[in-house]
Amino acid sequence: AGLDLFVMPSLWEGLPMAMLEAMALATPVLATSVGSIPSVIDSGEDGVLVPPGDPAALASALQRLLADADWRRQLGRKGRDTVVAHFNAANTASAYERLYLEALA
């Protein structure tokens, strides 16, 4: 909760829980567009995505984010809204229930 920014410069990921936890705490996220991350983050709206393996793009985005506290706060708030809307307990339980019912069928 004390972070100004969460950075995940992964070369591969599934759906990173650490990123979702940061977003749930309204911490702005800078991540690479790998795995399921682009299905969660709308770059520039509720987080920032850069190409994997591109240190120049990562550095540029990091500099821009560090220079603009208002934008970081906006990204953090919208990121939290995204997590609350799509990754809340009720939605997660429903997804598991569907998975189990499909497996049983």
Side-chain angles (χ1 to χ4, degrees):
L3 297 176
D4 292 324
L5 180 63
F6 179 85
V7 181
M8 180 165 272
S10 301
L11 296 176
W12 59 269
E13 284 289 343
L15 179 59
M17 291 302 298
M19 180 190 77
L20 295 176
E21 290 168 348
M23 292 172 75
L25 292 170
T27 301
V29 171
L30 168 58
T32 48
S33 55
V34 297
S36 293
I37 294 173
S39 70
V40 176
I41 293 180
D42 181 8
S43 191
E45 292 297 317
D46 54 7
V48 175
L49 297 177
V50 296
D54 188 343
L58 182 68
S60 176
L62 184 56
Q63 287 174 336
R64 183 171 173 220
L65 283 160
L66 291 175
D68 193 340
D70 289 336
W71 189 38
R72 286 195 316 271
R73 280 189 289 277
Q74 178 183 358
L75 290 171
R77 283 191 304 269
K78 289 185 176 182
R80 184 180 191 294
D81 292 346
T82 296
V83 169
V84 167
H86 301 288
F87 298 95
N88 60 55
N91 287 351
T92 302
S94 292
Y96 276 113
E97 180 181 28
R98 283 192 305 276
L99 180 66
Y100 289 137
L101 291 174
E102 287 174 15
L104 291 171

